[in-house]
């Protein structure tokens, strides 16, 4: 999942928690603008945006009954809302598929301008992003404000792939919980690592100059985003560990069973060899019953495993399909593993001198 295209670029993005007074006064907004201006004077910083949320976090601001202007008030759909500044697409490399993002600084309560994503355009019933341009919406969050769509962004995964892409309305606002700073680093890992320390030091200096009363606390967006997969990674590691342990115990048991069974068949194998049976025939005869047992076990395990995996995958909005190879490969692997486990004992029994085996009997 971590290798899938998210529709945005979360690499080399530093996340800063906005100071507690982010909703306060015009004076504070001047500090934010000063901080942003000073940062962008440095070519090591490619962009900065303020936002109410960040990729990897659930969007907490929502509105129900968002509808096209003129539709009945009881109609409409539930939308997520992101408050941000005009550089949000630049900082995260979000593509515009129609229209433009915000250009000015006036909020939608003044201009009525909003931007939506493709999923929102589909939810509103528009056949294409272009059709949605300059259409008017009603959204209970904005009261009686006449909202006009000025742009449509491409869809991107705001959360992990367990969740589907939500309809989103972007709102130009000074409200921010996070500052996202896009770094302009070298492409190679070595050069990027070497450049990171001075860049972060410069970022901290600008922060302390603009917000001397606030602690400089940063994280990286890609690391924050990938934290969503931590539970899946832990589950995968535990599942692999216990599966390997179960297979090992099963092989040990199979090895012991093969030793006991072949000991009982020593006389039979000796007689068959005396009567002219070939090594290959005896190996097939002896191995067959163990392989049949494994196949019978698979007949029971495969439907149960299929059902469990299918139900587990239902929790993911974006998931793989279970193909025939998900059955064929494990079954073939188990048969090979079974054969290799009993091979030593089978070869030992087949190569035993029939005179010795019959004498022992």
């Amino acid at each position: 999942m971590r290798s899938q295209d998210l529709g945005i670029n979360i690499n080399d993005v530093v996340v800063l928690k906005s100071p507690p007074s982010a909703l306060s006064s015009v004076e504070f907004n001047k500090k934010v603008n000063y901080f942003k201006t000073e940062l962008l004077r440095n070519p090591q910083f490619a962009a900065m945006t303020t936002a109410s949320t960040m990729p990897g976090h659930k969007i907490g601001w929502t509105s129900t009954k968002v509808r096209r202007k003129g539709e009945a008030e009881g109609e409409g759909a539930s939308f997520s809302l992101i408050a941000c500044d005009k550089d949000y697409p630049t900082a995260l490399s979000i593509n515009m598929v129609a229209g433009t993002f915000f250009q000015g600084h006036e909020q939608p309560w003044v201009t009525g301008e909003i931007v939506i994503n493709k999923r929102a355009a589909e939810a509103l019933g528009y056949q294409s992003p272009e059709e949605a341009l300059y259409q008017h919406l009603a959204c209970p969050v904005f009261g009686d404000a006449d909202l006009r769509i000025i742009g449509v962004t491409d869809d991107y995964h705001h959360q992990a792939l367990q969740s589907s892409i939500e309809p989103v309305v972007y709102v130009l606002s000074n409200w921010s919980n996070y500052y996202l700073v896009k770094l302009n680093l070298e492409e190679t890992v070595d050069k990027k690592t070497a450049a990171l320390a001075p860049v972060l030091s410069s970022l901290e200096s600008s922060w302390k100059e603009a917000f001397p009363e606030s602690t400089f606390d940063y994280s990286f967006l890609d690391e924050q985003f990938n934290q969503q997969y931590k539970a899946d990674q832990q589950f995968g590691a535990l599942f692999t560990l216990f599966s390997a342990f179960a297979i090992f115990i099963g092989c040990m048991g199979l090895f012991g069973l093969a030793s006991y069974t072949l000991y009982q068949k020593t006389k039979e194998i000796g007689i068959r060899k005396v009567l002219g049976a070939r090594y290959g025939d005896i190996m097939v005869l002896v191995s067959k019953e163990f392989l049949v047992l494994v196949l019978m076990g698979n007949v029971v395990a495969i439907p149960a495993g299929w059902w469990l995996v299918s139900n587990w995958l239902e929790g993911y909005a974006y998931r793989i399909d279970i193909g025939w190879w998900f059955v064929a490969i494990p079954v073939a692997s188990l048969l090979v593993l079974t054969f290799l486990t009993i091979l030593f004992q089978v070869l030992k029994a087949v190569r035993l001198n029939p005179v010795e085996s019959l004498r022992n009997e």
Side-chain angles (χ1 to χ4, degrees), residues 142-174:
F142 297 98
D144 297 327
D146 182 22
L147 305 178
R148 186 170 65 99
I149 301 170
I150 63 168
V152 181
T153 70
D154 205 355
D155 291 333
Y156 72 90
H157 293 280
H158 191 84
Q159 292 181 266
L161 271 66
Q162 289 98 325
S163 305
S164 59
I165 296 175
E166 302 173 296
V168 174
V169 174
Y170 299 95
V171 178
L172 185 66
S173 174
N174 292 325

PDB file of all heavy atoms in Angstrom, residues 142-174:
ATOM      1  N   PHE A 142     -22.046  27.421   5.590  1.00  0.00           N
ATOM      2  CA  PHE A 142     -21.864  28.820   5.190  1.00  0.00           C
ATOM      3  C   PHE A 142     -23.165  29.614   5.236  1.00  0.00           C
ATOM      4  O   PHE A 142     -23.228  30.728   4.715  1.00  0.00           O
ATOM      5  CB  PHE A 142     -21.272  28.884   3.779  1.00  0.00           C
ATOM      6  CG  PHE A 142     -19.908  28.270   3.684  1.00  0.00           C
ATOM      7  CD1 PHE A 142     -19.744  26.972   3.227  1.00  0.00           C
ATOM      8  CD2 PHE A 142     -18.781  28.978   4.070  1.00  0.00           C
ATOM      9  CE1 PHE A 142     -18.500  26.397   3.141  1.00  0.00           C
ATOM     10  CE2 PHE A 142     -17.526  28.411   3.989  1.00  0.00           C
ATOM     11  CZ  PHE A 142     -17.380  27.108   3.540  1.00  0.00           C
ATOM     12  N   GLY A 143     -24.192  29.046   5.822  1.00  0.00           N
ATOM     13  CA  GLY A 143     -25.456  29.749   5.941  1.00  0.00           C
ATOM     14  C   GLY A 143     -26.071  30.055   4.585  1.00  0.00           C
ATOM     15  O   GLY A 143     -26.226  29.168   3.742  1.00  0.00           O
ATOM     16  N   ASP A 144     -26.379  31.307   4.363  1.00  0.00           N
ATOM     17  CA  ASP A 144     -27.032  31.726   3.118  1.00  0.00           C
ATOM     18  C   ASP A 144     -26.044  32.159   2.037  1.00  0.00           C
ATOM     19  O   ASP A 144     -26.450  32.683   0.994  1.00  0.00           O
ATOM     20  CB  ASP A 144     -28.002  32.877   3.400  1.00  0.00           C
ATOM     21  CG  ASP A 144     -29.135  32.462   4.333  1.00  0.00           C
ATOM     22  OD1 ASP A 144     -29.536  31.274   4.262  1.00  0.00           O
ATOM     23  OD2 ASP A 144     -29.584  33.301   5.135  1.00  0.00           O
ATOM     24  N   ALA A 145     -24.761  31.963   2.255  1.00  0.00           N
ATOM     25  CA  ALA A 145     -23.756  32.412   1.285  1.00  0.00           C
ATOM     26  C   ALA A 145     -23.948  31.692  -0.054  1.00  0.00           C
ATOM     27  O   ALA A 145     -24.213  30.487  -0.103  1.00  0.00           O
ATOM     28  CB  ALA A 145     -22.353  32.149   1.826  1.00  0.00           C
ATOM     29  N   ASP A 146     -23.830  32.439  -1.116  1.00  0.00           N
ATOM     30  CA  ASP A 146     -23.930  31.878  -2.473  1.00  0.00           C
ATOM     31  C   ASP A 146     -22.535  31.434  -2.901  1.00  0.00           C
ATOM     32  O   ASP A 146     -21.668  32.253  -3.203  1.00  0.00           O
ATOM     33  CB  ASP A 146     -24.485  32.945  -3.426  1.00  0.00           C
ATOM     34  CG  ASP A 146     -24.662  32.408  -4.835  1.00  0.00           C
ATOM     35  OD1 ASP A 146     -24.774  31.168  -4.998  1.00  0.00           O
ATOM     36  OD2 ASP A 146     -24.663  33.210  -5.785  1.00  0.00           O
ATOM     37  N   LEU A 147     -22.294  30.138  -2.912  1.00  0.00           N
ATOM     38  CA  LEU A 147     -20.973  29.597  -3.194  1.00  0.00           C
ATOM     39  C   LEU A 147     -20.819  29.285  -4.677  1.00  0.00           C
ATOM     40  O   LEU A 147     -21.720  28.705  -5.296  1.00  0.00           O
ATOM     41  CB  LEU A 147     -20.734  28.324  -2.370  1.00  0.00           C
ATOM     42  CG  LEU A 147     -20.913  28.467  -0.856  1.00  0.00           C
ATOM     43  CD1 LEU A 147     -20.708  27.137  -0.170  1.00  0.00           C
ATOM     44  CD2 LEU A 147     -19.943  29.514  -0.295  1.00  0.00           C
ATOM     45  N   ARG A 148     -19.679  29.654  -5.237  1.00  0.00           N
ATOM     46  CA  ARG A 148     -19.423  29.446  -6.657  1.00  0.00           C
ATOM     47  C   ARG A 148     -18.135  28.650  -6.834  1.00  0.00           C
ATOM     48  O   ARG A 148     -17.097  28.976  -6.262  1.00  0.00           O
ATOM     49  CB  ARG A 148     -19.317  30.797  -7.377  1.00  0.00           C
ATOM     50  CG  ARG A 148     -19.199  30.703  -8.895  1.00  0.00           C
ATOM     51  CD  ARG A 148     -19.340  32.088  -9.500  1.00  0.00           C
ATOM     52  NE  ARG A 148     -18.240  32.949  -9.095  1.00  0.00           N
ATOM     53  CZ  ARG A 148     -17.157  33.198  -9.842  1.00  0.00           C
ATOM     54  NH1 ARG A 148     -17.039  32.650 -11.038  1.00  0.00           N
ATOM     55  NH2 ARG A 148     -16.220  34.011  -9.412  1.00  0.00           N
ATOM     56  N   ILE A 149     -18.213  27.588  -7.633  1.00  0.00           N
ATOM     57  CA  ILE A 149     -17.059  26.718  -7.862  1.00  0.00           C
ATOM     58  C   ILE A 149     -16.136  27.382  -8.882  1.00  0.00           C
ATOM     59  O   ILE A 149     -16.536  27.631 -10.022  1.00  0.00           O
ATOM     60  CB  ILE A 149     -17.503  25.337  -8.387  1.00  0.00           C
ATOM     61  CG1 ILE A 149     -18.448  24.660  -7.387  1.00  0.00           C
ATOM     62  CG2 ILE A 149     -16.297  24.445  -8.660  1.00  0.00           C
ATOM     63  CD1 ILE A 149     -19.130  23.415  -7.923  1.00  0.00           C
ATOM     64  N   ILE A 150     -14.888  27.654  -8.470  1.00  0.00           N
ATOM     65  CA  ILE A 150     -13.935  28.279  -9.401  1.00  0.00           C
ATOM     66  C   ILE A 150     -12.870  27.291  -9.887  1.00  0.00           C
ATOM     67  O   ILE A 150     -12.089  27.617 -10.785  1.00  0.00           O
ATOM     68  CB  ILE A 150     -13.234  29.498  -8.755  1.00  0.00           C
ATOM     69  CG1 ILE A 150     -12.402  29.058  -7.545  1.00  0.00           C
ATOM     70  CG2 ILE A 150     -14.251  30.559  -8.370  1.00  0.00           C
ATOM     71  CD1 ILE A 150     -11.454  30.125  -7.038  1.00  0.00           C
ATOM     72  N   GLY A 151     -12.838  26.116  -9.287  1.00  0.00           N
ATOM     73  CA  GLY A 151     -11.833  25.141  -9.695  1.00  0.00           C
ATOM     74  C   GLY A 151     -12.159  23.749  -9.205  1.00  0.00           C
ATOM     75  O   GLY A 151     -12.905  23.570  -8.235  1.00  0.00           O
ATOM     76  N   VAL A 152     -11.595  22.751  -9.899  1.00  0.00           N
ATOM     77  CA  VAL A 152     -11.767  21.343  -9.518  1.00  0.00           C
ATOM     78  C   VAL A 152     -10.372  20.700  -9.497  1.00  0.00           C
ATOM     79  O   VAL A 152      -9.649  20.740 -10.496  1.00  0.00           O
ATOM     80  CB  VAL A 152     -12.685  20.585 -10.498  1.00  0.00           C
ATOM     81  CG1 VAL A 152     -12.852  19.126 -10.057  1.00  0.00           C
ATOM     82  CG2 VAL A 152     -14.046  21.270 -10.608  1.00  0.00           C
ATOM     83  N   THR A 153     -10.014  20.133  -8.353  1.00  0.00           N
ATOM     84  CA  THR A 153      -8.722  19.459  -8.239  1.00  0.00           C
ATOM     85  C   THR A 153      -8.868  17.977  -8.575  1.00  0.00           C
ATOM     86  O   THR A 153      -9.967  17.416  -8.521  1.00  0.00           O
ATOM     87  CB  THR A 153      -8.144  19.572  -6.813  1.00  0.00           C
ATOM     88  OG1 THR A 153      -8.944  18.771  -5.924  1.00  0.00           O
ATOM     89  CG2 THR A 153      -8.139  21.005  -6.337  1.00  0.00           C
ATOM     90  N   ASP A 154      -7.746  17.380  -8.893  1.00  0.00           N
ATOM     91  CA  ASP A 154      -7.728  15.934  -9.059  1.00  0.00           C
ATOM     92  C   ASP A 154      -7.917  15.280  -7.691  1.00  0.00           C
ATOM     93  O   ASP A 154      -7.608  15.872  -6.661  1.00  0.00           O
ATOM     94  CB  ASP A 154      -6.394  15.500  -9.675  1.00  0.00           C
ATOM     95  CG  ASP A 154      -6.510  14.184 -10.419  1.00  0.00           C
ATOM     96  OD1 ASP A 154      -7.590  13.564 -10.374  1.00  0.00           O
ATOM     97  OD2 ASP A 154      -5.519  13.775 -11.045  1.00  0.00           O
ATOM     98  N   ASP A 155      -8.415  14.056  -7.689  1.00  0.00           N
ATOM     99  CA  ASP A 155      -8.573  13.338  -6.431  1.00  0.00           C
ATOM    100  C   ASP A 155      -7.221  12.879  -5.902  1.00  0.00           C
ATOM    101  O   ASP A 155      -6.305  12.584  -6.674  1.00  0.00           O
ATOM    102  CB  ASP A 155      -9.471  12.109  -6.634  1.00  0.00           C
ATOM    103  CG  ASP A 155     -10.918  12.485  -6.912  1.00  0.00           C
ATOM    104  OD1 ASP A 155     -11.341  13.568  -6.453  1.00  0.00           O
ATOM    105  OD2 ASP A 155     -11.613  11.708  -7.594  1.00  0.00           O
ATOM    106  N   TYR A 156      -7.101  12.817  -4.599  1.00  0.00           N
ATOM    107  CA  TYR A 156      -5.905  12.237  -3.984  1.00  0.00           C
ATOM    108  C   TYR A 156      -6.332  11.533  -2.696  1.00  0.00           C
ATOM    109  O   TYR A 156      -7.407  11.784  -2.146  1.00  0.00           O
ATOM    110  CB  TYR A 156      -4.843  13.299  -3.702  1.00  0.00           C
ATOM    111  CG  TYR A 156      -5.160  14.240  -2.552  1.00  0.00           C
ATOM    112  CD1 TYR A 156      -4.762  13.939  -1.247  1.00  0.00           C
ATOM    113  CD2 TYR A 156      -5.849  15.432  -2.768  1.00  0.00           C
ATOM    114  CE1 TYR A 156      -5.043  14.788  -0.198  1.00  0.00           C
ATOM    115  CE2 TYR A 156      -6.134  16.292  -1.721  1.00  0.00           C
ATOM    116  CZ  TYR A 156      -5.728  15.962  -0.443  1.00  0.00           C
ATOM    117  OH  TYR A 156      -6.015  16.800   0.598  1.00  0.00           O
ATOM    118  N   HIS A 157      -5.487  10.655  -2.226  1.00  0.00           N
ATOM    119  CA  HIS A 157      -5.771   9.893  -1.009  1.00  0.00           C
ATOM    120  C   HIS A 157      -5.336  10.716   0.200  1.00  0.00           C
ATOM    121  O   HIS A 157      -4.153  10.833   0.485  1.00  0.00           O
ATOM    122  CB  HIS A 157      -5.037   8.552  -1.032  1.00  0.00           C
ATOM    123  CG  HIS A 157      -5.528   7.620  -2.090  1.00  0.00           C
ATOM    124  ND1 HIS A 157      -6.681   6.861  -1.940  1.00  0.00           N
ATOM    125  CD2 HIS A 157      -5.049   7.336  -3.319  1.00  0.00           C
ATOM    126  CE1 HIS A 157      -6.875   6.147  -3.023  1.00  0.00           C
ATOM    127  NE2 HIS A 157      -5.905   6.418  -3.879  1.00  0.00           N
ATOM    128  N   HIS A 158      -6.317  11.284   0.896  1.00  0.00           N
ATOM    129  CA  HIS A 158      -5.997  12.067   2.086  1.00  0.00           C
ATOM    130  C   HIS A 158      -5.659  11.162   3.259  1.00  0.00           C
ATOM    131  O   HIS A 158      -4.919  11.556   4.163  1.00  0.00           O
ATOM    132  CB  HIS A 158      -7.180  12.964   2.447  1.00  0.00           C
ATOM    133  CG  HIS A 158      -6.864  13.992   3.483  1.00  0.00           C
ATOM    134  ND1 HIS A 158      -6.282  15.202   3.193  1.00  0.00           N
ATOM    135  CD2 HIS A 158      -7.011  13.971   4.840  1.00  0.00           C
ATOM    136  CE1 HIS A 158      -6.098  15.900   4.307  1.00  0.00           C
ATOM    137  NE2 HIS A 158      -6.530  15.168   5.324  1.00  0.00           N
ATOM    138  N   GLN A 159      -6.220   9.949   3.253  1.00  0.00           N
ATOM    139  CA  GLN A 159      -5.922   8.969   4.287  1.00  0.00           C
ATOM    140  C   GLN A 159      -5.400   7.692   3.633  1.00  0.00           C
ATOM    141  O   GLN A 159      -5.292   7.604   2.410  1.00  0.00           O
ATOM    142  CB  GLN A 159      -7.167   8.669   5.118  1.00  0.00           C
ATOM    143  CG  GLN A 159      -7.618   9.840   5.981  1.00  0.00           C
ATOM    144  CD  GLN A 159      -8.839   9.489   6.808  1.00  0.00           C
ATOM    145  OE1 GLN A 159      -9.964   9.742   6.412  1.00  0.00           O
ATOM    146  NE2 GLN A 159      -8.615   8.892   7.976  1.00  0.00           N
ATOM    147  N   ALA A 160      -5.056   6.711   4.477  1.00  0.00           N
ATOM    148  CA  ALA A 160      -4.539   5.444   3.980  1.00  0.00           C
ATOM    149  C   ALA A 160      -5.560   4.782   3.058  1.00  0.00           C
ATOM    150  O   ALA A 160      -6.746   5.146   3.037  1.00  0.00           O
ATOM    151  CB  ALA A 160      -4.208   4.523   5.151  1.00  0.00           C
ATOM    152  N   LEU A 161      -5.112   3.791   2.311  1.00  0.00           N
ATOM    153  CA  LEU A 161      -5.960   3.173   1.303  1.00  0.00           C
ATOM    154  C   LEU A 161      -7.081   2.323   1.886  1.00  0.00           C
ATOM    155  O   LEU A 161      -7.874   1.751   1.150  1.00  0.00           O
ATOM    156  CB  LEU A 161      -5.120   2.342   0.331  1.00  0.00           C
ATOM    157  CG  LEU A 161      -4.591   3.118  -0.888  1.00  0.00           C
ATOM    158  CD1 LEU A 161      -3.605   4.185  -0.484  1.00  0.00           C
ATOM    159  CD2 LEU A 161      -3.970   2.196  -1.905  1.00  0.00           C
ATOM    160  N   GLN A 162      -7.135   2.214   3.225  1.00  0.00           N
ATOM    161  CA  GLN A 162      -8.309   1.581   3.830  1.00  0.00           C
ATOM    162  C   GLN A 162      -9.555   2.425   3.569  1.00  0.00           C
ATOM    163  O   GLN A 162     -10.665   1.894   3.529  1.00  0.00           O
ATOM    164  CB  GLN A 162      -8.145   1.418   5.350  1.00  0.00           C
ATOM    165  CG  GLN A 162      -7.144   0.362   5.760  1.00  0.00           C
ATOM    166  CD  GLN A 162      -5.810   0.955   6.090  1.00  0.00           C
ATOM    167  OE1 GLN A 162      -5.393   1.941   5.468  1.00  0.00           O
ATOM    168  NE2 GLN A 162      -5.105   0.379   7.047  1.00  0.00           N
ATOM    169  N   SER A 163      -9.364   3.730   3.423  1.00  0.00           N
ATOM    170  CA  SER A 163     -10.489   4.660   3.276  1.00  0.00           C
ATOM    171  C   SER A 163     -10.642   5.087   1.822  1.00  0.00           C
ATOM    172  O   SER A 163      -9.655   5.237   1.101  1.00  0.00           O
ATOM    173  CB  SER A 163     -10.260   5.912   4.137  1.00  0.00           C
ATOM    174  OG  SER A 163     -10.019   5.553   5.482  1.00  0.00           O
ATOM    175  N   SER A 164     -11.870   5.274   1.414  1.00  0.00           N
ATOM    176  CA  SER A 164     -12.135   5.753   0.053  1.00  0.00           C
ATOM    177  C   SER A 164     -11.931   7.262  -0.010  1.00  0.00           C
ATOM    178  O   SER A 164     -11.920   7.957   1.018  1.00  0.00           O
ATOM    179  CB  SER A 164     -13.565   5.398  -0.362  1.00  0.00           C
ATOM    180  OG  SER A 164     -14.498   5.973   0.538  1.00  0.00           O
ATOM    181  N   ILE A 165     -11.758   7.769  -1.211  1.00  0.00           N
ATOM    182  CA  ILE A 165     -11.590   9.211  -1.407  1.00  0.00           C
ATOM    183  C   ILE A 165     -12.919   9.909  -1.161  1.00  0.00           C
ATOM    184  O   ILE A 165     -13.955   9.511  -1.699  1.00  0.00           O
ATOM    185  CB  ILE A 165     -11.069   9.507  -2.824  1.00  0.00           C
ATOM    186  CG1 ILE A 165      -9.660   8.910  -2.994  1.00  0.00           C
ATOM    187  CG2 ILE A 165     -11.045  11.006  -3.089  1.00  0.00           C
ATOM    188  CD1 ILE A 165      -9.101   9.041  -4.392  1.00  0.00           C
ATOM    189  N   GLU A 166     -12.893  10.944  -0.336  1.00  0.00           N
ATOM    190  CA  GLU A 166     -14.115  11.653   0.039  1.00  0.00           C
ATOM    191  C   GLU A 166     -14.358  12.861  -0.864  1.00  0.00           C
ATOM    192  O   GLU A 166     -13.405  13.434  -1.400  1.00  0.00           O
ATOM    193  CB  GLU A 166     -14.005  12.141   1.488  1.00  0.00           C
ATOM    194  CG  GLU A 166     -13.771  11.064   2.521  1.00  0.00           C
ATOM    195  CD  GLU A 166     -13.501  11.645   3.898  1.00  0.00           C
ATOM    196  OE1 GLU A 166     -12.475  12.334   4.051  1.00  0.00           O
ATOM    197  OE2 GLU A 166     -14.320  11.421   4.799  1.00  0.00           O
ATOM    198  N   PRO A 167     -15.622  13.269  -1.002  1.00  0.00           N
ATOM    199  CA  PRO A 167     -15.891  14.561  -1.652  1.00  0.00           C
ATOM    200  C   PRO A 167     -15.374  15.689  -0.757  1.00  0.00           C
ATOM    201  O   PRO A 167     -15.648  15.705   0.437  1.00  0.00           O
ATOM    202  CB  PRO A 167     -17.432  14.599  -1.747  1.00  0.00           C
ATOM    203  CG  PRO A 167     -17.895  13.204  -1.484  1.00  0.00           C
ATOM    204  CD  PRO A 167     -16.858  12.566  -0.626  1.00  0.00           C
ATOM    205  N   VAL A 168     -14.602  16.588  -1.335  1.00  0.00           N
ATOM    206  CA  VAL A 168     -13.950  17.632  -0.542  1.00  0.00           C
ATOM    207  C   VAL A 168     -14.267  19.008  -1.112  1.00  0.00           C
ATOM    208  O   VAL A 168     -14.247  19.211  -2.330  1.00  0.00           O
ATOM    209  CB  VAL A 168     -12.419  17.427  -0.503  1.00  0.00           C
ATOM    210  CG1 VAL A 168     -11.727  18.596   0.190  1.00  0.00           C
ATOM    211  CG2 VAL A 168     -12.070  16.122   0.208  1.00  0.00           C
ATOM    212  N   VAL A 169     -14.536  19.940  -0.216  1.00  0.00           N
ATOM    213  CA  VAL A 169     -14.655  21.359  -0.555  1.00  0.00           C
ATOM    214  C   VAL A 169     -13.472  22.079   0.081  1.00  0.00           C
ATOM    215  O   VAL A 169     -13.237  21.958   1.291  1.00  0.00           O
ATOM    216  CB  VAL A 169     -15.969  21.958  -0.041  1.00  0.00           C
ATOM    217  CG1 VAL A 169     -15.992  23.474  -0.273  1.00  0.00           C
ATOM    218  CG2 VAL A 169     -17.166  21.312  -0.707  1.00  0.00           C
ATOM    219  N   TYR A 170     -12.693  22.790  -0.731  1.00  0.00           N
ATOM    220  CA  TYR A 170     -11.571  23.588  -0.234  1.00  0.00           C
ATOM    221  C   TYR A 170     -12.045  25.011   0.013  1.00  0.00           C
ATOM    222  O   TYR A 170     -12.708  25.610  -0.843  1.00  0.00           O
ATOM    223  CB  TYR A 170     -10.426  23.598  -1.244  1.00  0.00           C
ATOM    224  CG  TYR A 170      -9.847  22.234  -1.534  1.00  0.00           C
ATOM    225  CD1 TYR A 170     -10.291  21.503  -2.636  1.00  0.00           C
ATOM    226  CD2 TYR A 170      -8.867  21.679  -0.717  1.00  0.00           C
ATOM    227  CE1 TYR A 170      -9.774  20.251  -2.923  1.00  0.00           C
ATOM    228  CE2 TYR A 170      -8.333  20.424  -0.999  1.00  0.00           C
ATOM    229  CZ  TYR A 170      -8.799  19.719  -2.097  1.00  0.00           C
ATOM    230  OH  TYR A 170      -8.284  18.480  -2.376  1.00  0.00           O
ATOM    231  N   VAL A 171     -11.684  25.510   1.186  1.00  0.00           N
ATOM    232  CA  VAL A 171     -12.118  26.842   1.588  1.00  0.00           C
ATOM    233  C   VAL A 171     -10.884  27.691   1.886  1.00  0.00           C
ATOM    234  O   VAL A 171     -10.017  27.280   2.666  1.00  0.00           O
ATOM    235  CB  VAL A 171     -13.010  26.758   2.846  1.00  0.00           C
ATOM    236  CG1 VAL A 171     -13.419  28.149   3.298  1.00  0.00           C
ATOM    237  CG2 VAL A 171     -14.222  25.882   2.582  1.00  0.00           C
ATOM    238  N   LEU A 172     -10.805  28.849   1.265  1.00  0.00           N
ATOM    239  CA  LEU A 172      -9.698  29.770   1.562  1.00  0.00           C
ATOM    240  C   LEU A 172      -9.945  30.405   2.924  1.00  0.00           C
ATOM    241  O   LEU A 172     -10.961  31.053   3.138  1.00  0.00           O
ATOM    242  CB  LEU A 172      -9.616  30.847   0.482  1.00  0.00           C
ATOM    243  CG  LEU A 172      -8.435  31.811   0.599  1.00  0.00           C
ATOM    244  CD1 LEU A 172      -7.121  31.075   0.365  1.00  0.00           C
ATOM    245  CD2 LEU A 172      -8.582  32.952  -0.397  1.00  0.00           C
ATOM    246  N   SER A 173      -9.013  30.173   3.859  1.00  0.00           N
ATOM    247  CA  SER A 173      -9.243  30.651   5.223  1.00  0.00           C
ATOM    248  C   SER A 173      -7.926  30.830   5.955  1.00  0.00           C
ATOM    249  O   SER A 173      -6.929  30.173   5.652  1.00  0.00           O
ATOM    250  CB  SER A 173     -10.127  29.657   5.977  1.00  0.00           C
ATOM    251  OG  SER A 173     -10.264  30.017   7.340  1.00  0.00           O
ATOM    252  N   ASN A 174      -7.941  31.714   6.946  1.00  0.00           N
ATOM    253  CA  ASN A 174      -6.782  31.903   7.823  1.00  0.00           C
ATOM    254  C   ASN A 174      -6.724  30.841   8.923  1.00  0.00           C
ATOM    255  O   ASN A 174      -5.723  30.738   9.628  1.00  0.00           O
ATOM    256  CB  ASN A 174      -6.833  33.287   8.483  1.00  0.00           C
ATOM    257  CG  ASN A 174      -6.632  34.384   7.469  1.00  0.00           C
ATOM    258  OD1 ASN A 174      -5.886  34.230   6.515  1.00  0.00           O
ATOM    259  ND2 ASN A 174      -7.308  35.513   7.675  1.00  0.00           N
TER     260      ASN A 174
END
